[in-house]
């Protein structure tokens, strides 16, 4: 067959053309900006389109690219020596999964048209890149499976230099994260929260006084080496009977950090920064251990590298590599002890001694890690290392000595061999609000869940089951280690880990889950890698987003959805801490997403390595329908996708409207007269931005009072908005008992943190009987924009409400 | 050769053990060097701050740190001039929670043997924050003078 015939022959299958239509339609319909509105039981969806030629030309261009890809695909198969009608048919059928893409525009257009739930519209608007990625991956996989004899035999490789490279790369990554956090914290305040300063305080005491008594450090306020000197901390401590002030945080992590911290003091640099180097090393060591363990199980480097990459790049490992909590250290020690026991031959007492030391050290990070020690002890027995007396002594002796020291330490501190429940923040260990909250929330909570910020861990868990199936002992014990961490954390009343970044208490499970990625990549079906790619892309996006805006993951905020067109994450997922007033709704929402996760786990453990584009299409359709179905169910149970409570979401929408080329059509579906007003108004509650002598009004928590007689000055400022170009109106509702002609205050708009004033208006007492405002037009992006209110001090002022409205789309 | 049912591991190759040991020991000494300075490290850190004119509103902090280290190193001896300087700094201090610094100053005075000024500083601490005064004088650091100054029992 000639090359020309071969090229045209690849396009002769009708599936190629229908698939091209699906891709083109998807691309053409991405350009609309969609706004949904609801008034009572009436709703409307408004599509703002660019000029018609833009979506049409983009759609045609994507179709052309698809046709070219199909030509290349057929030629590739022909070059492999596969020719003839059967090859043409297989090449064409490989495009069959693309037909699932028709579901995306259908999910956007049909439900509003027939008055159905808008969840599928919202999901399609937000998640279409993932659907496109999944479909493209499915076509690629089917093309490869069309020529199964070409799939390269997997080689077993053990290159010695690769582990150091993994370590160095991980170290560089975590140093980069540290640089980013330093850069951001210099701008908006330090990120240290919760227990971090207390751990550093203990490290200071160990470095300077070589003891754990924090009294001298408190008197000299030596927390000022890494905190604002106005702040006083006490290490969350209490007095012992012999008059020492001892922290309730264990000395394991401070002892590791102390030498690094001391270098900071010695050099006159920030000791927190040098202490963080210790955390980078621990985190990089953990990643390297994942690589070693993955290679040990699969005997291949590729899957092992995937596991290591997951541990390093996905949340929570990524950010906890820089936070002074014992989590990352416990993860490194636990996985290292595990690997040493797995690698050690009978009687290799040196390795077992090292494993014993790491195991023995674990409860010194926190007593909850004693559970991991028990699992590791059971693993030691299951590996039959006890049959050698030297091996038994090497492992057990450090553990017994450590246990005895720990009991002695607790007896000295608390008068009992193990701390009671009273030391926990809520005075109890078990969650009084029920176990489901923590056991599900730790995975799927909008603000605190591991899968919300690192969806890749679902693929890791699926891979872990492949490990159980193919190497039962290895899989069982990895699952036992990860499960022990999960159960201990999930049952805890503070399962969310305080105000710190999400899934803090699952960090110690990260290496054992990450090994699942290696196992899944090695033994799983092709769809498993597709799953990894899609969830990996989602996880990387979340990681990048958190690095862009790290303060968002502190303080129980639910803002992951603010980067999206609809606040999906806020409204369709449970938010146990943020939405604590509706526990039943949260529990039901969690059930939906946990069920979906379970279905995904089962699906990833099925499948084979045979060409089956029809099966792939059905799978893809089922996946999309399942996600959409879960979204619709969550929409009905929870607050619903139209509950716009996140101000940042509006700015994202305004930005898209600014970017939309003018001159296109506007389509409306739904009730006439229903307008998306809520999406065009940005409320700026005055009480949130009050300064100086202004006080929150006693009868209205959103309003504030400014008393008379003070010096003239600004009392409301600090919104620091980033607004896209467009026309706006800033409105304030003020009142005053004085209604005369004298000036009582002023409004102004400034940008760049007050460096330049865009506009200002004087306010007399007469003008305050109705809302006062400033209309303005931004020709370019305005950064750190503030809408400020000042008072002359002539008369008392009450600032009741403030907002900024976008005047045109 | 004895066969094992466990997975074999490759034969160990690479650097000789003595070289690894030397490198580890040298690295450990370098890493631990500042920690080995002990309380001298407090002086160094405070001295860095004094030289950098760190936070003029809180310059009392490094000066107290220097005095503390000196008092410990010299068995309580601290010149009258230096103590007078600390009094003046603390009188001028406008930051948060001065109670801790009055207690520290009282401790330095007590160690220097000036009972009258120690009592005076304790009174200032008590006047500033009676609750924290009562709580923080439970430290063992006050044991030698607890009865003499009528401090609350531990």
């Amino acid at each position: 067959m000639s090359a020309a015939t071969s090229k045209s022959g690849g396009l002769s299958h009708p599936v190629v053309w229908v698939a091209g239509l699906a891709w083109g339609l998807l691309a053409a319909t991405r350009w609309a900006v969609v706004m949904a509105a609801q008034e009572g039981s009436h709703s409307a969806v408004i599509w703002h389109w660019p000029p018609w030629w833009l979506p049409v030309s983009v759609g045609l261009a994507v179709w052309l690219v698809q046709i070219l890809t199909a030509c290349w695909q057929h030629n590739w198969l022909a070059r492999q020596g596969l020719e003839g009608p059967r090859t043409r048919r297989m090449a064409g059928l490989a495009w069959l999964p693309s037909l699932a893409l028709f579901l995306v525009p259908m999910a956007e257009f049909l439900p509003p048209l027939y008055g159905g739930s808008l969840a599928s519209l919202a999901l399609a608007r937000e998640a279409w890149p993932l659907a496109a990625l999944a479909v493209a991956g499915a076509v690629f996989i089917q093309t490869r499976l069309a020529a199964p004899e070409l799939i390269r035999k997997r080689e077993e490789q053990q290159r010695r230099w690769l582990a150091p490279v993994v370590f160095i790369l991980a170290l560089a990554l975590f140093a980069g994260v540290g640089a980013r956090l330093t850069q951001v914290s210099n701008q908006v305040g330090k990120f240290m929260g919760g227990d971090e300063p207390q751990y550093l305080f203990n490290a200071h005491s160990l470095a300077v006084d070589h003891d754990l008594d924090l009294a001298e450090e408190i008197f000299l306020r030596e927390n000022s080496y890494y905190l604002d000197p106005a702040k006083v901390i006490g290490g969350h401590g209490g007095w012992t009977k012999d008059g020492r002030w001892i922290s309730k945080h264990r000395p394991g992590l401070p002892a590791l950090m102390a030498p690094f911290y001391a270098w900071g003091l010695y050099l006159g640099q920030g000791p927190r920064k040098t202490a963080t180097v210790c955390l980078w090393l621990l985190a990089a060591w953990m990643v390297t251990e994942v690589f070693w363990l993955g290679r040990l199980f699969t005997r291949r480097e590729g899957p092992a590298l995937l596991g290591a990459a997951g541990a390093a790049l996905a949340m929570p490992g990524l950010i906890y590599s820089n936070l002074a909590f014992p989590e990352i250290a416990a993860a490194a020690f636990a996985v290292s002890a595990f690997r040493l026991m797995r690698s050690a031959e009978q009687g290799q007492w040196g390795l077992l001694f090292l494993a014993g030391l790491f195991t023995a050290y674990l409860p010194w990070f926190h007593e909850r890690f004693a559970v991991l020690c028990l699992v590791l002890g059971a693993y030691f027995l299951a590996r039959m290392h006890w049959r050698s007396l030297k091996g038994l002594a090497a492992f057990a002796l450090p553990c017994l000595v450590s246990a005895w020291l720990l009991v002695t330490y607790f007896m000295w501190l608390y008068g009992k061999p193990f701390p009671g429940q009273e030391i926990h923040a809520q005075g109890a260990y078990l969650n009084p609000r029920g176990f489901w909250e923590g056991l599900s929330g730790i995975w799927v909570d909008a603000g605190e869940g591991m899968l919300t910020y690192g969806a890749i861990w679902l693929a890791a868990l699926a891979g872990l089951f492949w490990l159980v199936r193919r190497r039962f002992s290895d899989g069982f014990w990895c699952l036992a280690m990860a499960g022990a961490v999960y159960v201990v954390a999930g049952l805890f009343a503070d399962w969310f880990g305080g105000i710190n970044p999400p899934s803090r208490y699952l960090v110690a499970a990260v290496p054992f889950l990450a090994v699942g990625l290696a196992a899944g990549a090695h033994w799983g079906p092709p769809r498993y890698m597709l799953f990894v790619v899609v969830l990996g892309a989602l996880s990387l996006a979340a990681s990048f987003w958190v690095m862009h805006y790290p303060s968002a993951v502190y303080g129980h905020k639910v803002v992951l959805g603010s980067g999206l067109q609809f606040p999906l994450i806020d409204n369709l997922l449970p938010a146990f801490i943020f939405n604590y007033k509706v526990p039943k709704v949260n529990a039901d929402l969690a059930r939906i997403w946990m069920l979906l996760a379970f279905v995904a786990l089962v699906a990833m453990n099925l499948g084979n390595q045979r060409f089956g584009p029809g099966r792939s299409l059905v799978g893809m359709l089922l996946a999309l329908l399942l996600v959409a179905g879960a979204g619709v169910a969550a929409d009905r149970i929870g607050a619903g996708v139209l509950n716009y409570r996140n101000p940042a979401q509006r700015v994202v929408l305004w930005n898209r409207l600014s970017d939309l080329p003018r001159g296109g059509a506007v389509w409306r579906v739904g009730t006439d007269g229903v307008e998306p007003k809520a999406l065009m108004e940005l409320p700026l509650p005055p009480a949130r931005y009050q300064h100086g002598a202004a006080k929150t009004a006693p009868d209205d928590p959103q309003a504030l009072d400014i008393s008379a007689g003070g010096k003239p000055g600004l009392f409301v400022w600090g919104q620091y908005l980033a607004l896209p170009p467009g026309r706006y109106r800033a409105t304030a509702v003020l009142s005053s008992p004085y209604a005369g002609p004298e000036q009582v205050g002023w409004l102004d708009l400034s940008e760049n943190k007050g460096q330049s004033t865009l506009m200002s208006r004087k306010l007399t007492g007469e003008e305050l009987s109705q809302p006062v405002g400033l209309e303005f037009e931004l020709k370019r992006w305005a950064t750190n924009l503030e809408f400020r209110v000042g008072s002359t001090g002539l008369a008392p002022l009450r600032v009741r409400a403030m907002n900024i409205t976008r005047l045109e789309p | 050769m004895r066969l094992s049912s466990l997975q074999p591991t490759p034969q160990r190759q690479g650097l000789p053990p003595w070289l690894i040991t030397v490198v580890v020991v040298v690295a450990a000494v370098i890493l631990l060097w500042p920690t080995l300075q002990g309380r001298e490290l407090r002086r160094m850190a405070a001295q860095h701050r004094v030289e950098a004119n760190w936070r003029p509103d809180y310059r009392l902090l490094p000066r107290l740190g220097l005095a503390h280290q000196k008092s410990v190193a010299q068995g309580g001896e601290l010149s009258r001039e230096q103590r007078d300087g600390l009094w003046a700094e603390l009188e001028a201090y406008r930051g948060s929670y001065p109670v801790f610094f009055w207690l520290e100053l009282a401790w330095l005075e007590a160690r220097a043997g000036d009972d009258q000024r120690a009592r005076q500083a304790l009174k200032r601490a008590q006047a500033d924050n009676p609750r924290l005064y009562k709580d923080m004088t439970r430290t063992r650091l006050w044991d030698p003078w607890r009865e003499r100054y009528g401090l609350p029992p531990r």
Side-chain angles (χ1 to χ4, degrees):
Chain A
M1 186 187 287
S2 70
T5 320
S6 169
K7 276 179 190 168
S8 61
L11 302 177
S12 63
H13 204 284
V15 169
V16 175
W17 294 93
V18 181
L21 182 64
W23 279 101
L25 191 63
L26 179 81
T29 51
R30 295 311 89 202
W31 294 84
V33 177
V34 184
M35 290 191 288
Q38 193 163 32
E39 283 179 19
S41 59
H42 300 292
S43 62
V45 178
I46 295 132
W47 273 274
H48 291 269
W49 288 91
W52 66 269
W53 54 265
L54 189 62
V56 169
S57 50
V58 169
L60 287 174
V62 168
W63 200 340
L64 183 67
V65 169
Q66 184 264 342
I67 287 170
L68 291 173
T69 310
C71 285
W72 174 84
Q73 173 212 26
H74 186 265
N75 280 342
W76 181 79
L77 284 171
R79 276 202 306 276
Q80 312 310 317
L82 300 171
E83 297 196 35
R86 185 169 172 271
T87 305
R88 282 204 298 279
R89 185 170 160 271
M90 289 177 98
L93 285 176
W95 285 93
L96 210 52
S98 302
L99 271 53
L101 291 178
F102 282 123
L103 266 189
V104 176
M106 276 167 69
E108 289 173 340
F109 286 88
L110 291 184
L113 209 58
Y114 293 107
S117 165
L118 295 180
S120 52
L121 160 68
L123 271 168
R125 295 305 302 177
E126 292 182 6
W128 67 266
L130 298 178
L133 188 62
V135 165
V139 173
F140 174 78
I141 287 170
Q142 292 304 321
T143 304
R144 293 282 291 170
L145 291 176
E149 61 274 24
L150 297 178
I151 295 176
R152 196 156 47 99
K153 190 176 176 297
R154 292 161 170 182
E155 290 172 9
E156 292 183 6
Q157 288 174 313
Q158 302 274 329
R159 286 171 288 191
R160 290 172 65 92
W161 54 267
L162 205 51
V165 169
V166 168
F167 180 83
I168 290 165
L169 284 177
L171 198 61
L173 171 74
F174 298 138
V177 171
R180 173 63 187 157
L181 291 180
T182 304
Q183 181 193 24
V184 178
S185 62
N186 284 343
Q187 289 168 7
V188 295
K190 289 178 188 293
F191 281 114
M192 273 191 296
D195 301 338
E196 269 193 283
Q198 323 297 342
Y199 279 111
L200 287 168
F201 211 31
N202 279 299
H204 183 98
S205 182
L206 284 170
V208 174
D209 289 336
H210 297 175
D211 66 17
L212 291 171
D213 184 1
L214 299 175
E216 285 164 286
E217 283 71 25
I218 294 172
F219 288 128
L220 295 170
R221 202 171 298 175
E222 290 183 325
N223 54 282
S224 62
Y225 282 101
Y226 49 86
L227 279 180
D228 186 315
K231 287 187 180 170
V232 175
I233 64 167
H236 290 163
W239 292 109
T240 58
K241 282 182 184 166
D242 58 352
R244 293 166 209 263
W245 181 269
I246 304 294
S247 171
K248 74 172 182 179
H249 300 293
R250 308 301 163 223
L253 180 69
L256 295 180
M257 288 194 301
F260 296 86
Y261 183 97
W263 268 103
L265 294 178
Y266 188 78
L267 297 172
Q269 301 297 315
R272 198 256 157 125
K273 286 180 187 168
T274 50
T276 311
V277 175
C278 171
L279 300 170
W280 297 344
L281 289 167
L282 287 166
W285 174 30
M286 183 270 282
V287 170
T288 313
E289 288 287 354
V290 169
F291 171 75
W292 276 326
L293 204 53
R295 193 169 63 176
L296 192 64
F297 290 160
T298 65
R299 299 187 187 172
R300 287 176 58 210
E301 287 172 346
L305 284 171
L306 176 70
L313 290 166
M315 289 278 287
L318 185 73
I319 197 161
Y320 276 93
S321 64
N322 273 268
L323 305 186
F325 292 103
E327 319 303 324
I328 209 84
F333 274 60
V335 71
S336 187
F338 185 90
R339 186 189 59 83
L340 288 167
M341 279 194 272
R342 174 63 179 76
S343 308
E345 286 185 75
Q346 208 174 61
Q348 271 193 312
W349 64 271
L351 294 184
L352 294 174
F353 179 65
L354 217 50
L357 282 180
F358 293 150
T359 306
Y361 201 85
L362 274 172
W364 291 93
F365 291 124
H366 192 286
E367 55 272 19
R368 71 174 180 277
F369 296 124
V371 176
L372 285 185
C373 298
L374 293 176
V375 180
L376 285 168
Y379 186 54
F380 173 83
L381 298 177
R383 292 289 298 165
M384 301 291 179
H385 289 307
W386 52 270
R387 287 194 296 195
S388 146
L389 193 63
K390 265 188 179 176
L392 179 65
F395 179 80
L397 217 57
C399 295
L400 291 174
V401 170
S402 171
W404 174 73
L405 284 173
L406 196 66
V407 167
T408 310
Y409 177 69
F410 287 146
M411 289 296 290
W412 173 61
L413 270 185
Y414 307 115
K416 46 190 170 185
F418 203 76
Q421 301 198 53
E422 66 280 356
I423 68 160
H424 299 301
Q426 298 191 24
Y429 166 70
L430 291 174
N431 192 343
R433 301 174 299 280
F435 299 153
W436 180 246
E437 180 190 294
L439 290 173
S440 64
I442 209 165
W443 292 111
V444 296
D445 187 272
E448 313 289 344
M450 193 189 207
L451 297 181
T452 314
Y453 289 84
I456 191 78
W457 298 117
L458 186 58
L461 201 53
L464 218 44
F465 286 110
W466 274 104
L467 188 60
V468 173
R469 288 168 62 181
R470 296 301 164 93
R471 286 177 178 264
F472 178 77
S473 172
D474 291 332
F476 171 81
W477 286 105
C478 280
L479 209 54
M481 290 295 284
V485 176
Y486 164 57
V487 171
V488 170
L491 296 178
F492 184 33
D494 277 336
W495 54 268
F496 42 88
I499 60 158
N500 311 291
S503 46
R504 165 185 169 191
Y505 292 138
L506 285 186
V507 172
V510 159
F512 299 99
L513 289 171
V515 168
L517 285 172
H522 184 57
W523 287 296
R527 76 168 63 151
Y528 179 82
M529 279 315 289
L530 197 55
F531 197 51
V532 167
V533 168
V534 172
L535 298 188
L538 197 56
S539 305
L540 278 179
S543 292
F544 276 117
W545 186 82
V546 170
M547 284 300 105
H548 170 68
Y549 186 31
S551 62
V553 285
Y554 277 86
H556 311 310
K557 289 177 196 156
V558 180
V559 289
L560 194 59
S562 63
L564 307 173
Q565 182 139 329
F566 284 75
L568 250 191
I569 304 295
D570 299 24
N571 295 343
L572 294 183
L573 291 176
F576 285 105
I577 310 304
F578 189 72
N579 256 349
Y580 67 95
K581 286 179 184 166
V582 283
K584 171 77 170 63
V585 170
N586 282 321
D588 287 343
L589 290 173
R591 273 187 197 94
I592 289 172
W593 297 105
M594 290 291 277
L595 183 66
L596 190 71
F598 178 73
V599 171
L601 285 185
V602 173
M604 288 309 117
N605 275 270
L606 303 173
N608 55 44
Q609 305 251 3
R610 287 198 303 273
F611 179 71
R615 214 176 47 242
S616 179
L617 171 62
V618 171
M620 204 62 70
L621 287 171
L622 277 177
L624 292 179
L625 288 172
L626 267 173
V627 174
V632 169
D635 186 37
R636 295 202 189 286
I637 290 173
V641 291
L642 289 184
N643 181 21
Y644 302 114
R645 64 177 171 222
N646 192 340
Q649 189 264 344
R650 291 160 171 83
V651 179
V652 171
L653 191 68
W654 296 354
N655 181 30
R656 291 187 185 175
L657 287 168
S658 294
D659 289 344
L660 190 73
R662 302 293 164 94
V666 178
W667 294 359
R668 166 187 281 273
V669 178
T671 314
D672 282 343
V674 176
E675 295 294 337
K677 287 179 197 158
L679 279 174
M680 305 310 277
E681 280 180 13
L682 184 63
L684 305 169
R688 196 183 296 171
Y689 307 106
Q690 70 185 53
H691 291 278
K695 296 269 188 304
T696 305
D699 52 342
D700 182 356
Q702 302 278 307
L704 63 89
D705 289 327
I706 304 166
S707 53
K711 285 182 183 171
L714 289 165
F715 292 92
V716 183
W717 49 273
Q719 298 95 351
Y720 303 127
L721 302 169
L723 289 187
R727 281 186 54 232
Y728 298 91
R729 183 174 54 235
T731 309
V733 181
L734 295 98
S735 62
S736 171
Y738 172 73
E742 296 293 321
Q743 184 187 351
V744 292
W746 71 91
L747 301 178
D748 73 29
L749 283 159
S750 73
E751 62 176 336
N752 298 328
K753 293 195 175 179
Q755 286 183 22
S756 58
T757 304
L758 296 174
M759 189 178 273
S760 131
R761 174 179 170 175
K762 291 177 182 172
L763 300 175
T764 64
E766 293 164 329
E767 290 174 300
L768 302 186
S769 57
Q770 54 191 5
V772 285
L774 295 167
E775 266 194 35
F776 61 103
E777 182 166 6
L778 297 175
K779 299 282 186 196
R780 53 174 175 74
W781 268 90
T783 52
N784 290 312
L785 184 134
E786 296 169 82
F787 179 24
R788 309 187 294 188
V789 177
S791 167
T792 58
L794 179 75
L797 276 181
R798 172 168 283 198
V799 189
R800 295 178 184 279
M802 295 168 69
N803 67 53
I804 291 181
T805 308
R806 190 175 167 96
L807 294 178
E808 60 185 29
Chain B
M1 189 173 69
R2 194 163 59 87
L3 290 175
S4 161
S5 60
L6 297 170
Q7 293 287 332
T9 48
Q11 197 71 35
R12 184 177 178 83
Q13 292 172 355
L15 299 171
W18 67 266
L19 185 59
I20 294 172
T21 309
V22 169
V23 170
V24 167
V25 169
V26 170
V29 170
I30 292 172
L31 178 65
L32 292 173
W33 179 251
T35 316
L36 297 175
Q37 308 301 308
R39 288 168 184 269
E40 177 66 7
L41 191 58
R42 175 171 279 132
R43 186 195 63 76
M44 291 178 186
Q47 194 62 44
H48 281 307
R49 283 185 157 182
V50 170
E51 285 165 7
N53 193 26
W54 172 83
R55 287 293 296 258
D57 51 341
Y58 280 93
R59 66 179 186 175
L60 171 67
L61 266 64
R63 282 157 208 252
L64 268 181
L66 286 173
H68 183 99
Q69 193 274 337
K70 203 168 186 180
S71 172
V72 171
Q74 297 177 349
E77 194 182 314
L78 203 61
S79 71
R80 173 72 187 235
E81 189 186 358
Q82 194 167 357
R83 285 181 282 134
D84 284 347
L86 290 174
W87 273 88
E89 289 280 356
L90 197 40
E91 295 283 5
Y93 175 73
R94 293 291 172 266
S96 63
Y97 295 102
V99 56
F100 296 111
F101 305 137
W102 283 118
L103 284 169
E104 173 66 26
L105 188 54
W107 185 73
L108 293 174
E109 292 287 8
R111 283 177 61 84
D114 196 332
D115 283 355
Q116 192 194 347
R117 281 164 55 118
R119 285 176 204 274
Q120 213 176 332
L122 282 171
K123 271 185 191 163
R124 298 290 294 268
Q126 192 171 16
D128 179 66
N129 192 321
R131 185 183 63 80
L132 282 175
Y133 166 82
K134 191 179 172 193
D135 197 29
M136 296 313 290
T137 44
R138 289 170 67 187
T139 171
R140 68 195 164 95
L141 297 174
W142 279 108
D143 283 356
W145 303 280
R146 193 168 297 282
E147 281 182 22
R148 198 191 310 175
Y149 296 158
L151 295 174
R154 277 211 314 248

